[in-house]
């Protein structure tokens, strides 16, 4: 029997007989502590179970229970256990589809005549616990594809048959635990006993293969962890997220609404939400003005030919709305603002002395989203981008990206986001432009990130069709990531529209264009802010900073006077002068997340003062109206990170 050389990444190597199992190699090469954590391995670039045989020399990288890969393995295995439990409980007439792991758990799709109920969740979990208690090994077997088709046909599992018929492999792998067998590449955890902490979360409908013309399946979403404490923490966060759901709070706090008569995915900003948006926009404009940007406004539609020239029809056409005929010419709702800014660039000849040219716009764009994908403010069909396009000389590219990063992080910090993940996305399979320009722009993005001292991950192939990009995903108070900021280098549009500038040598040259958004979509960013702050915005962006509460009708005239004075002094104030008990009105103000309550009774009316109550229930000493206005101004600046 021949020998092979096997090593552990970062560790020892040794000779073994060909056919040695992964488990035997790990036992010989790893410490006892490491062995206990190892669930599977990467053998060079192949993922293998512990029971797999090694027939050639390789390097092993353990997949452990403390790694992200290990957690993904656990959840994938948990999906199989859940499918087994469902089949055992509800009979062989249940047809199983697919069950992958996800970012925060796993799901499995089932075709079953009766809908699942919350009571079923508990029964499925109990059966899963019984399966876990049996420590059933996940056993892999290979089978000729045609034999596998016959195997699943015999069991009336038509979805597995369809998947198999589309494969080109002559041989496929199946995994079984107990009497349950599933089509799967693997690998899996060694046995079901590793699955000690799991929970079924919810039920949803899902079309088979995502096709609306195919059967609607029942999708059970669940999650799993190695540690019960980690599961408990996650479930707490899930409940907290429900409380913070921007759709729920948006309705309760009267911030926005979506009217089916207007159309799905087209949010309407209510007065309080519109005021909060104005505050965000005013801050955005002021910061851009200070950083050398000029403001633009562009139309909502353009001739369809514009999008052919820009390349959006070829690369983005399926996400655009249908064309409209205007006097025999096709026009299109804009999905992007960039071609309009090109149009402004070409309005006159440009000199190298003008550069960099920084233009920004809060431009509303329209993109087709499937109805099922729409979600509150997070996924809409009409939204406003905090867009900017910067035209630079080649020599200015790296410095300008650095400046953008500087402004970007400053703006995010002002809104309360100081934790984020940064990604450098490189050339996708489908792209335009020369390899030289792609390399040049990728290097510029990389150097700017390193100069700024930002840790980043390379996201291979995730750049846009016209250039590489930096993506910044902010983390909210619950640790969830949200895609917001993006910086994209583009040689393509300047080429397509043949734009140029006159250089110092008197010749015409092509500028480089940078696409940039700090918040992304205002709608989505506002939705994130609602959930991050649970609707209790910092004072500087709270649509209502204070509410006036009178005790009896005797103080109505004075309440109106205080209201007028506060508004005149720039305080965003409302009033609740209903004939209701004070405690009731206080509770209403607290529910509305209003930072300050101005209490007015006979004593306040007689002294010309106001009593101020904080949302935490504490009362401040009575003060003149002007002093309270100054307090609001001072605290508002502090909440924005400005000097009082």
């Amino acid at each position: 029997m021949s020998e092979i050389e096997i090593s552990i990444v970062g560790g020892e190597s040794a000779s073994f007989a060909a056919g040695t199992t992964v488990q035997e190699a790990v036992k010989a090469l790893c410490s006892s502590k490491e062995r206990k954590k190892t669930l599977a391995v990467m053998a060079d670039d192949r993922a293998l179970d512990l029971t797999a045989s090694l027939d050639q020399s390789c390097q092993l990288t353990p997949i452990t229970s403390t790694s992200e890969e290990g957690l993904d393995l656990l959840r994938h295995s948990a999906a199989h256990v859940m499918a087994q439990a469902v089949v055992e409980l509800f009979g062989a007439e249940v047809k199983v589809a697919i069950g992958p792991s996800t970012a925060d758990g796993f799901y499995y799709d089932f075709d079953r005549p009766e809908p699942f109920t919350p009571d079923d969740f508990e029964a499925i979990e109990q059966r899963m616990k019984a399966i876990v208690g049996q420590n059933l090994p996940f056993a892999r077997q290979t089978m000729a594809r045609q034999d596998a088709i016959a195997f699943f046909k015999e069991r009336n599992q038509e979805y597995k048959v369809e998947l198999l018929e589309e494969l080109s492999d002559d041989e496929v792998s199946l995994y079984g635990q107990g009497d349950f067998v599933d089509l799967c590449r693997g690998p899996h955890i060694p046995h079901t006993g590793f699955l000690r902490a799991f929970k079924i979360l919810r039920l949803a409908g899902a079309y088979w293969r995502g096709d609306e013309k195919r059967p609607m399946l029942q999708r059970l979403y669940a999650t799993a962890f190695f540690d019960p404490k980690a599961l408990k923490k996650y479930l707490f966060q899930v409940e907290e997220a429900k409380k913070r759901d921007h759709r729920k709070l948006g309705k309760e706090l009267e911030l926005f609404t979506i009217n089916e008569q207007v159309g799905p995915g087209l949010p309407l900003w209510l007065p309080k939400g519109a005021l909060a948006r104005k505050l965000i926009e005013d801050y955005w404009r002021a910061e851009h003005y200070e950083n050398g940007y000029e403001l633009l406004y562009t139309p909502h539609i353009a001739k369809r030919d514009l999008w052919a020239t820009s390349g959006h029809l070829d690369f983005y056409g399926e996400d655009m709305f249908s064309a409209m005929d205007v006097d025999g010419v096709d026009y299109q709702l804009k999905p992007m603002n960039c071609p309009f800014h090109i149009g402004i660039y070409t309005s006159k000849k440009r000199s190298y002395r003008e550069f960099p040219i920084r233009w920004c716009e809060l431009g509303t764009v329209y993109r087709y989203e499937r109805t099922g994908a729409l979600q509150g403010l997070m996924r809409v069909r009409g939204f406003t981008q905090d867009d900017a396009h910067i035209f630079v000389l080649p020599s200015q590219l790296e410095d300008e990206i650095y400046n953008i990063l500087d402004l970007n992080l400053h703006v995010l910090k002002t809104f309360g986001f100081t934790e984020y993940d940064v990604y450098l996305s490189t050339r996708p399979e489908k792209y335009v432009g020369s390899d030289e320009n792609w390399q040049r722009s990728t290097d510029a993005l990389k150097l700017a990130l390193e100069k700024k001292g930002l840790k980043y991950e390379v996201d291979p192939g995730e750049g846009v069709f016209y250039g590489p990009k930096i993506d910044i995903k902010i983390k909210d108070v619950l640790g969830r990531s949200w895609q917001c900021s993006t910086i994209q280098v583009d040689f393509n549009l300047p080429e397509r529209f043949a734009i140029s500038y006159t250089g110092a040598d008197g010749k015409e040259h092509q500028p480089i264009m940078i696409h940039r958004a700090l918040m992304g979509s205002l709608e989505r960013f506002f939705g994130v802010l609602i959930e991050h702050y649970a609707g209790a915005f910092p004072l500087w962006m709270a649509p209502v900073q204070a509410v006036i509460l009178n005790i009896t009708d005797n103080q109505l005239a004075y309440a109106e006077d205080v209201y007028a004075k506060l508004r005149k002094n720039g305080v965003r104030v409302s009033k609740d002068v209903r004939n209701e008990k004070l405690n009731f009105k206080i509770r209403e103000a607290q529910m509305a997340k209003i930072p300050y309550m101005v209490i007015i009774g006979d004593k306040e009316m007689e002294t010309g003062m106001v009593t101020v109550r904080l949302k935490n229930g504490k009362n401040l000493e009575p003060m003149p109206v002007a002093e309270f206005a100054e307090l609001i101004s001072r605290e508002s600046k502090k909440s924005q990170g400005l000097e009082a």
Side-chain angles (χ1 to χ4, degrees):
M1 183 178 291
S2 62
E3 288 199 341
I4 56 175
E5 190 76 13
I6 302 173
S7 63
I8 287 286
V9 64
E12 299 181 2
S13 65
S15 295
F16 294 86
T20 295
T21 67
V22 170
Q23 191 164 30
E24 290 168 340
V26 168
K27 184 177 181 180
L29 296 172
C30 293
S31 67
S32 175
K33 183 179 179 181
E34 192 71 14
R35 288 200 305 270
K36 289 178 181 178
K37 295 189 298 181
T38 300
L39 308 170
V41 299
M42 292 297 298
D44 293 335
D45 58 353
R46 295 179 300 149
L48 298 177
D49 300 293
L50 294 181
T51 56
S53 297
L54 298 170
D55 298 315
Q56 58 188 26
S57 298
C58 61
Q59 183 181 66
L60 304 182
T61 303
I63 298 174
T64 68
S65 57
T66 55
S67 68
E68 288 295 322
E69 294 81 4
L71 184 58
D72 185 70
L73 204 68
L74 179 81
R75 289 169 172 172
H76 181 198
S77 301
H80 282 236
V81 173
M82 185 169 71
Q84 179 183 357
V86 168
V87 171
E88 288 182 359
L89 279 172
F90 302 105
E93 70 274 9
V94 175
K95 297 174 184 177
V96 295
I98 56 172
S101 60
T102 63
D104 55 3
F106 60 94
Y107 68 80
Y108 214 112
D109 290 343
F110 301 96
D111 190 344
R112 176 173 177 251
E114 299 82 17
F116 290 110
T117 68
D119 289 340
D120 293 332
F121 290 9
E122 185 176 349
I124 295 167
E125 287 175 359
Q126 290 303 318
R127 183 58 64 94
M128 289 175 70
K129 288 177 182 177
I131 295 168
V132 168
Q134 297 175 56
N135 292 334
L136 299 174
F138 284 90
R140 182 178 187 269
Q141 62 174 306
T142 57
M143 189 180 291
R145 185 171 65 89
Q146 290 303 323
D147 291 341
I149 290 173
F151 176 86
F152 284 108
K153 275 186 177 179
E154 184 181 341
R155 286 155 180 77
N156 199 30
Q157 294 295 340
E158 60 187 65
Y159 299 104
K160 301 297 180 184
V161 171
E162 181 178 326
L163 293 172
L164 283 162
E165 287 177 340
E166 293 179 1
L167 293 176
S168 58
D169 309 62
D170 294 328
E171 189 176 74
V172 296
S173 63
L174 281 64
Y175 275 82
Q177 73 276 3
D179 295 329
F180 180 79
V181 180
D182 204 351
L183 173 67
C184 184
R185 287 193 177 92
H188 282 279
I189 56 178
H191 58 77
T192 60
F194 281 84
L195 185 60
R196 294 186 292 269
F198 54 87
K199 183 71 177 176
I200 298 176
L201 302 173
R202 65 186 187 279
L203 172 68
Y207 289 108
W208 171 236
R209 312 296 286 272
D211 187 343
E212 296 174 1
K213 298 177 182 178
R214 307 296 299 276
M216 171 67 79
L217 307 178
Q218 297 186 69
R219 176 170 293 178
L220 286 178
Y221 282 98
T223 194
F225 293 87
F226 287 103
D227 181 4
K229 290 182 180 178
L231 174 62
K232 185 177 180 181
K233 179 182 178 182
Y234 174 78
L235 294 177
F236 170 79
Q237 289 184 320
V238 169
E239 289 305 309
E240 188 64 25
K242 288 179 182 176
K243 297 175 188 175
R244 294 169 176 265
D245 190 317
H246 76 284
R247 293 164 295 185
K248 172 178 173 287
L249 290 175
K251 182 178 181 180
E252 292 174 357
L253 301 178
E254 299 179 351
L255 299 172
F256 72 93
T257 187
I258 294 177
N259 186 299
E260 286 303 313
Q261 192 171 16
V262 172
L266 301 170
L268 303 174
W269 294 74
L270 302 178
K272 290 179 183 177
L275 183 50
R277 172 172 170 162
K278 177 187 179 299
L279 296 165
I280 293 169
E281 290 185 358
D282 288 349
Y283 164 74
W284 183 89
R285 290 188 180 96
E287 285 294 331
H288 280 73
Y289 184 78
E290 287 182 18
N291 283 272
Y293 286 77
E294 296 175 297
L295 187 66
L296 302 180
Y297 290 97
T298 59
H300 291 238
I301 64 172
K303 289 181 178 179
R304 189 173 172 85
D305 287 349
L306 179 71
W307 309 109
T309 302
S310 70
H312 286 99
L313 278 181
D314 292 333
F315 290 89
Y316 210 79
E318 63 185 25
D319 297 306
M320 298 169 68
F321 280 99
S322 301
M324 62 186 85
D325 184 289
V326 181
D327 297 330
V329 177
D330 281 344
Y331 280 75
Q332 190 90 40
L333 280 169
K334 66 175 177 179
M336 307 280 188
N337 298 302
C338 23
F340 294 87
H341 293 194
I342 292 278
I344 292 172
Y345 183 96
T346 59
S347 64
K348 68 173 188 178
K349 282 187 66 65
R350 304 286 173 179
S351 163
Y352 74 97
R353 296 179 184 274
E354 299 177 57
F355 288 77
I357 298 171
R358 303 184 184 101
W359 288 334
C360 62
E361 176 183 13
L362 292 168
T364 301
V365 298
Y366 304 88
R367 299 177 188 174
Y368 173 69
E369 295 279 1
R370 291 179 179 272
T371 302
L374 300 174
Q375 185 201 4
L377 296 177
M378 303 302 192
R379 201 77 178 263
V380 294
R381 287 175 172 164
F383 57 91
T384 301
Q385 284 186 311
D386 73 310
D387 222 346
H389 294 96
I390 301 101
F391 299 89
V392 297
L393 308 177
S395 61
Q396 297 170 333
L397 181 59
E398 183 188 326
D399 285 343
E400 193 60 29
I401 294 169
Y402 179 88
N403 292 337
I404 293 169
L405 285 169
D406 216 32
L407 175 61
N408 200 333
L409 300 186
H410 169 69
V411 168
L412 292 178
K413 183 179 179 181
T414 301
F415 285 109
F417 300 109
T418 55
E419 294 186 22
Y420 29 75
D421 293 319
V422 182
Y423 297 88
L424 174 60
S425 301
T426 58
R427 188 178 64 204
E429 288 185 15
K430 192 176 181 182
Y431 68 95
V432 294
S434 69
D435 291 349
E436 179 186 357
N437 282 342
W438 272 88
Q439 189 61 52
R440 183 180 186 179
S441 49
T442 303
D443 289 344
L445 291 170
K446 181 180 178 181
L447 288 169
L449 284 169
E450 292 172 351
K451 182 179 177 182
K452 187 64 182 169
L454 291 173
K455 293 182 180 179
Y456 65 92
E457 290 183 32
V458 175
D459 204 356
E462 291 303 313
V464 286
F465 71 88
Y466 51 75
K469 62 175 179 170
I470 292 171
D471 285 326
I472 299 177
K473 296 183 180 180
I474 58 176
K475 290 188 176 181
D476 67 12
V477 71
L478 296 181
R480 298 173 299 178
S481 292
W482 302 93
Q483 172 63 55
C484 289
S485 311
T486 187
I487 304 168
Q488 305 168 358
V489 180
D490 184 4
F491 290 86
N492 175 58
L493 280 185
E495 287 179 1
R496 282 178 172 269
F497 285 93
I499 65 173
S500 65
Y501 64 90
T502 304
D505 57 2
K507 297 178 181 179
E508 293 301 300
H509 301 271
Q510 182 180 290
I512 301 171
M513 186 176 184
I514 303 173
H515 305 249
R516 187 238 66 189
L518 307 184
M519 297 180 287
S521 147
L522 277 185
E523 283 75 5
R524 190 167 185 268
F525 191 73
F526 190 58
V528 173
L529 285 170
I530 293 171
E531 298 202 4
H532 181 64
Y533 289 109
F537 301 114
L539 190 61
W540 76 269
M541 59 175 288
V544 180
Q545 297 172 315
V547 57
I548 295 171
L549 309 176
N550 62 316
I551 297 176
T552 70
D553 286 350
N554 291 340
Q555 301 96 36
L556 280 175
Y558 182 59
E560 291 289 350
D561 181 56
V562 171
Y563 174 77
K565 287 179 179 177
L566 289 175
R567 282 182 68 98
K568 189 174 181 181
N569 280 277
V571 178
R572 298 188 293 278
V573 62
S574 65
K575 55 189 174 182
D576 185 349
V577 294
R578 293 175 296 169
N579 187 20
E580 299 282 357
K581 291 183 178 180
L582 179 62
N583 284 341
F584 174 81
K585 292 198 279 190
I586 287 173
R587 283 196 302 273
E588 292 271 292
Q590 289 173 329
M591 292 290 289
K593 317 281 187 178
I594 299 174
Y596 293 94
M597 287 159 268
V598 180
I599 312 297
I600 295 177
D602 288 338
K603 184 179 179 181
E604 286 77 14
M605 185 172 62
E606 291 167 5
T607 59
M609 309 278 272
V610 292
T611 295
V612 178
R613 179 186 176 94
L614 306 180
K615 60 184 177 184
N616 63 8
K618 179 183 176 182
N619 285 341
L620 303 181
E621 292 293 325
M623 64 183 74
V625 175
E627 185 177 327
F628 176 61
E630 290 173 6
L631 170 69
I632 291 285
S633 176
R634 186 169 61 251
E635 294 301 318
S636 183
K637 289 178 181 177
K638 282 184 182 179
S639 74
Q640 197 175 356
L642 304 174
E643 291 186 10

